[in-house]
Structures are given as structure tokens and as C-alpha cells.
Amino acid sequence: MDTWILRKTGFDPQDAPTDGNRFLCANGYMGVRGVPEEAGSALFPAVNLAGIYDQYQDRWREPVNAPNALFIQLSFNGQRMALGKREPLSHETEIDYRHGIYRRETEFGPVSVRSERIASMAECHLLADRYQIRFTQDGEMALQTGISTDIWDINGPHLFDFQFEAGEALLVQAITGQKKITVAAAQSAVCDFDGTESFAQDDSGLFRTLRRYVKKGDTLTVSVFGAIYTSLDDPEPGRTAQMLCMEAKKKGFDTCLRAHKDAWEQIWERCEMRLEGDEAAARAMHASQYHLNSIAPRHAGNLSIPARGLSGQTYKGAIFWDSEIFFFPMFVYTQPEIARSLLRYRIETLPGALKKAREYGFRGAYYAWESQEGGEEGCTNFNVVDVFTHRPVRTYFRDKQIHISGDIAYALRSYYEITGDRRLLEEGGARVILECARFYLSRANGHLDTEEADFADVIGPDEYHERVTNNAFTNHMIRHCLESALRLKQIFADQPEWFEDLLKELHYEKDWPLIQALCGHIRAPKTRDGVIEQFDGYFDLEDCSLDAVRARLRDPREYWGGDHGVAGTTQIIKQADVIAMMALFPGDFTDQQTAVNWHYYEPRTEHGSSLSACMYAVTACRIGRPELAWELFMKTADIDVTGGGKLWAGEIYIGGTHPASNGGAWMIAALGFAGLQMKNGRPELHPNLPKELQRLSFPITVNDETYLIEVTHSGGTIRRMKC
Ligand code: IFM
């Protein structure tokens, strides 16, 4: 098996929603769904843009898809050679994980087509496609290349006032409905043949057609270059996009491809995780690292990553806790500048978090559960549609999932501990931690100086139990956030004036002692035989099996949570909760405690979120049971290879790629199998390699030093690498 390649034989339009994710090409600025060049909206094509959102009427606010600048459509003797319109004799799709190349090869009978396409990692605005046609009959060919506006939108349309310009570089420009951002798509093409050229423009886009008579055995090639800019990138996005296309055309496809591949090689040099002993596992790891790396905002420095990456508009293209808890670890240990970008996004969106806290009657920073640009809350009150009544179900994620602020503080502190870089704290990070701590101070229930404080009416990571009190994970995260605020004083011990000034500026004098008091008074969770109760009253819920709850479903798409969900009155949970806490705070729990809780909660966990299995796998390793981790690892790492994961929450489509699992796969291998932990500013290993693997190796960068980690069944080593 080539562990860098995923190949699929055959074409079934039913698979288009998942295949578009599995074969995605992306470069952090945009994601191009893995659909054939000729795809119209029925096959879900999208060039999904990072960080630009729009709301159409009263529908969900979601990211904007640009016009498809790599549209290519071939006709032969008046017949369209298009998947979805004509049954192919054979078809293969491939994604090359090493270099982010989408390839397809289709035999239609009289013609066969083979192509390769990239979202350039060297130039984030550039797309390129080399399309080769072989003819097995004489006949009349019409090759259309252009910019298609027949794109997939879940809650669109988002683009209006289209302008079209034909010429050597085609241009389609439009503006978004809400914020009037210009989105420009340009395209140029170079052919190794000539023909009669014409231009056409209609509701579905702007196209150039080349016609000529071909002979059996002829092979023709067209290279197409697409460029996307918006008015947020450039004052003249259209002109700049046209110029980029023309430049790329001059350089040629091979030069663009070489630069793109070199850029990918540099990424792999910094982060490649090698698994030896199991090829399927090695490929799943490549897939995971490919997907996560391909959506990293390398171009920006202040953007984060949506929960479904750049695979489409699912989950409103929003930033969740997935960023800090699941994507962050791989980046902070391998490419800290990307971890910094994720956190800068939070620093810059602090005003949105302050506003949200105020709206709910609190102080400090309450970050959006589903954060869009400027920290605007994208989460609606109704996130699920009931399959029986077709009515929206009220969910309280937006109001009650308060652990989000602590998760951000957790990542800020980890960033400092792993990189040793204090600048981010100075440049707003410390302020974020202090404001998050202040939010919890105002959110606590209780008399802080005399009795224990509760955090009532919250939702922990397990979203099937809403509005609970003293969720163990949430309370632990809150305590850590308060401690992190207090620890800032030590971190800035050599700059006491700077820190005092910051406290003054934030009017923090009265809050400081209260935070100290609250820290020691947060109610500790109840335990029973060593099992930590997930929240007050959890043990009183019906204790039944996962199968029993599943058997109660009357529709496979039925939502398990909400007011009437089948899980709500039981101990069945959606995703790791107590175990997520144990995974994130290894120093706070003994192996014995972790083992007892693991064995209690795992059978009660649906793993209904792609954020779940990795937490169980990491902790399984920690308790010396890597054999329990293996299946969970494969489930996590393979998710975007197989196209697994849930597609529906009630009637709402939630498919896409799974960056949290992609990051989770790295976490299992690094933090679980290798047992990587930071102790006093230095990395150390506690290996637990499963029997399926013979060797594991990967680079990390800590405190500006790069190390190579190697783990075998005889132990682990950390070697400093020369730069
Ligand atoms: O952040 C997660 C949440 O924990 C479970 N539902 C999906 C979200 C986005 O991945």
C-alpha cells in the first residue's frame, strides 16, 4: 500500500457529499472540494473561503463559497462527457496526501480524461489544474473552461451583483449580501492545441469554449489557473486575481506544481509522524496530518480553523473549542506559528467575548460557542431539527457551554509552557486569561469567602445532558483558568510594573482576591467507588446500556439530546467528558483514578462526536492499556479516509472533514503512544506502544529547539536535531 495515497474506483453521485471531503485540496485560505472539474451544484462543488461569513435572510450565518474558478467541461460530438450526466466506463479518484494533489481519471468511451489539481501551498490565492484528454474516435470536440457560479451553498445565496469580464483572464466578481465584501475569481488557461474560441456568459457563469476537430489517438492538454481574492485581501481583488492567473500561466503548470510540492515538503519536515508496522495506520496518520495541515491559516497569523475545516459550510464555518483542545497540540509542538495564529484569533476577538458576557449579565470574557469573524456568536438557539415534527429543537449550547473560555485560557497557558514564548501573553494573551477568569467569578453561584461555589446550569463536553450543575470537566477547567490568572503574576515577576499596570487598566484590584478565594472553593465533584460523577445527579440517572438506548430510537437520524432525546434521562453520554478532563490534566489524576473512570465511562459513551475517541485513547495509553487505545486510534485517524462520522443531527447536515479527529490522531500517537509530556520546560516520554506498531517517530519543537522522538517496544528517545 502506498501510505500517501487514497484512491477510489468507481463513481456514485450518492457519495458526492462525502467524497468531496475525502478528496479535498486546501491551503488554509481556501478549500476546494474533491469533486470532478465539470461538477455542477448537484455534486456539491465548493471553493470554501476562510474567515468570510454572510447571512442570507434569516437563515444561518455561514462562510462564503467563491465561484468555482477551475470549472472544465468537455463535450464530444455534442455530448457532455460529465460525471453525473453520463455513465463512465471507468473512473478513479485519488488524493495524494504528501503533496495535496487531487487526481481523477475517467474513461467515457470516445474520450478519456485525466487531471491533477492543487490549491497551491506556495501561493494561497492560486488554484491550478492540468487536464489531459485522449480521444479514441474522430469527432468534434468542445472544451469549456471557465468560472462557474453554480456552486453549493447550504444557507445561501451569498453572492450578488455579479460582474463578468471575458478576455485572456476571465473574471467573475460579486459582493456578499451582508457586509458587501467583494469576492473575485479569475481564470486563465493554456492549451497545447488551437481551435476556434468563443465566450459565453449565463446564469451559471462565464466560459471560454475551444472547438476543434480531433482524430482518434490525439491527446490534448489544457492547464487552467484560477485565482481568488476578496476586498479584505486587496483593494482591487479582481485585477489582482487576473494578474495572478496570468503570471501562473506564464510560469506554467509544472513550475506552480513544483513550488506547491516544495511547500508541502517543508511542512512534512516539521511535523511528519511516522508509524511503522501497520500500513493502514500509517496511511490514516498521513491522512489526518494532511487534512489538518491543509487548513492551517499560514497566510494570516490571526485566523483560527473551523470545526469542519474548509470542506464546506457545515457548523456555520465556526470556530469551536476544537481549535484550542484538538487542533492546537499538533501545531504547538510542530509549527508554533500556527498555534499562535489560533490564539491571536482569540485575542483579537476578545471584544466579542466581552460583549457576549455582558449580554448574559456577566462580566469578563464569555467566548462564543461557535465563533465567527470578530468573535461574533454564530450559534443559534435552535441547532437541531426534530425528525418527527420537523420543528427546530431548542439547544442551550450557546448559552451554557461555558467551558469554552477556560479552554482558551488552557491553550494560552500551554502555548507559553511549550514554546517558552511570553510575547503572546504580553500581546493580549494575559488580558484574555484575566477576562476569562473574571467571567467565571461573575458566573459562580455561592458566597465566595465562606462556602463552596457551584457552577449551575451549564453544559459540559457531553452535549446530551444540558443545563446541569457542577459538571466535573467545566469546574476543573474553571479552576485551571483561575489558577492561570493568578500564575501570571509569577510569569511576569520580572516585570511587576507592567503586570500591575495591566491589572489597573482592567480595574482588577477587587477581583484579584476574589479569584484567589474562588479558586479554593469550587465544589469538588462527588465520587462513588473512585468514579467521578460527571455532574450533580448523574449517578441517579437510568444506568442502561448503549444498545438499550439505541434500541429506543425510532429514526436513525433522531437526535439523542435536547428535551426529549433518548439519552437525556440516562447515563449514556455523547462524548468524553470526565475522561476528557483526565486526558487534559494528566498530572491531576493518578493512573488508578484514570483507570477506574475509564472503565466506567467508556461503555456509557456513544462516541457520537468525533472529539470523543481520541480522549479515551490517550488515557488508555496512560493507564498502560494501549491495546484498548488501538481501535479508538484507528476510528479517529481513519475518519476522513473512510468518510466516517455522523452526517446528521436530526435533520441538520453535519458532514465534512473532521479536523478534531485529525488533531486527535496526532494526540493519541504523541501524547498516548509516545507519552509525551512537558516537565519543567522539557519534553519527556512515557511510551506505551501498541503491539500493532514497531516504531513511531516524529519531530517536535519545544522552546525553539527541535527534537526527534523515537519510540519502539524497548523504549523511547528524544534527540536534539541540528537546525
Ligand atoms: O465542538 C464540538 C462539540 O464538542 C460536539 N459537537 C460538534 C462540535 C464541533 O466539532
Side-chain angles (χ1 to χ4, degrees), residues 307-308 315 320-322 369 401 461 463 574-575 609-611 660:
R308 287 286 187 255
Y315 281 140
F320 289 66
W321 71 311
D322 306 32
W369 179 242
Q401 222 155 148
E463 294 175 332
K574 179 181 180 187
Q575 64 200 91
S609 160
S610 61
L611 281 57

Side-chain angles (χ1 to χ4, degrees), residues 216-508:
K216 179 176 173 185
D218 280 356
T219 303
L220 306 180
T221 303
V222 58
S223 298
V224 173
F225 303 95
I228 309 289
Y229 275 88
T230 75
S231 49
L232 301 183
D233 309 317
D234 192 283
E236 287 198 74
R239 289 289 152 262
T240 311
Q242 283 176 310
M243 266 158 52
L244 182 62
C245 281
M246 295 307 293
E247 252 171 52
K249 178 176 168 173
K250 227 180 273 161
K251 286 184 192 156
F253 185 84
D254 279 325
T255 306
C256 295
L257 181 64
R258 208 171 313 122
H260 167 76
K261 284 167 95 171
D262 286 350
W264 266 109
E265 283 302 327
Q266 283 169 28
I267 292 171
W268 290 117
E269 204 172 295
R270 296 178 70 190
C271 70
E272 185 186 343
M273 171 80 70
R274 292 190 186 177
L275 304 185
E276 289 170 31
D278 187 302
E279 290 193 331
R283 185 183 55 189
M285 180 54 80
H286 289 151
S288 296
Q289 288 202 286
Y290 162 72
H291 278 291
L292 193 51
N293 272 306
S294 74
I295 52 176
R298 292 187 170 75
H299 62 288
N302 61 353
L303 280 186
S304 192
I305 301 175
R308 287 286 187 255
L310 299 175
S311 61
Q313 293 155 321
T314 316
Y315 281 140
K316 307 162 193 126
I319 315 301
F320 289 66
W321 71 311
D322 306 32
S323 288
E324 284 71 26
I325 303 299
F326 298 85
F327 314 160
F328 177 84
M330 180 183 95
F331 289 128
V332 76
Y333 274 113
T334 64
Q335 299 155 84
E337 69 284 5
I338 295 168
R340 205 156 49 232
S341 177
L342 307 188
L343 293 175
R344 273 206 196 287
Y345 168 79
R346 296 302 195 176
I347 292 172
E348 290 184 13
T349 56
L350 177 62
L354 297 173
K355 184 166 153 243
K356 176 171 169 183
R358 275 198 306 276
E359 277 169 16
Y360 282 87
F362 300 113
R363 300 164 62 228
Y366 182 12
Y367 275 89
W369 179 242
E370 300 186 23
S371 183
Q372 298 183 334
E373 83 277 45
E376 202 160 309
E377 178 63 271
C379 189
T380 52
N381 287 338
F382 301 90
N383 278 286
V384 174
V385 175
D386 182 54
V387 285
F388 303 114
T389 60
H390 311 295
R391 289 198 187 118
V393 178
R394 176 69 162 106
T395 49
Y396 291 87
F397 308 149
R398 166 198 174 108
D399 321 69
K400 308 293 177 191
Q401 222 155 148
I402 64 169
H403 63 83
I404 178 68
S405 292
D407 303 333
I408 292 165
Y410 176 92
L412 277 162
R413 181 160 162 192
S414 309
Y415 175 84
Y416 167 68
E417 281 166 2
I418 295 165
T419 64
D421 173 9
R422 204 174 60 174
R423 268 171 314 162
L424 195 67
L425 291 178
E426 288 166 7
E427 291 165 11
R431 187 181 289 257
V432 166
I433 294 175
L434 290 166
E435 290 291 14
C436 289
R438 172 135 74 190
F439 164 61
Y440 291 128
L441 189 61
S442 73
R443 182 62 167 70
N445 309 90
H447 302 289
L448 308 183
D449 45 352
T450 52
E451 59 174 70
E452 283 182 309
D454 296 312
F455 283 89
D457 202 4
V458 306
I459 305 179
D462 161 31
E463 294 175 332
Y464 288 165
H465 295 91
E466 300 193 20
R467 313 196 67 168
V468 300
T469 294
N470 290 326
N471 168 251
F473 176 100
T474 305
N475 283 14
H476 208 89
M477 200 45 105
I478 292 173
R479 187 177 304 106
H480 181 265
C481 175
L482 303 176
E483 279 166 12
S484 301
L486 298 173
R487 220 178 100 74
L488 288 169
K489 200 167 218 155
Q490 280 153 265
I491 295 175
F492 288 103
D494 60 341
Q495 288 186 54
E497 280 153 31
W498 179 86
F499 189 62
E500 284 306 319
D501 284 350
L502 178 64
L503 293 183
K504 261 192 219 128
E505 192 193 325
L506 297 178
H507 306 291
Y508 218 82

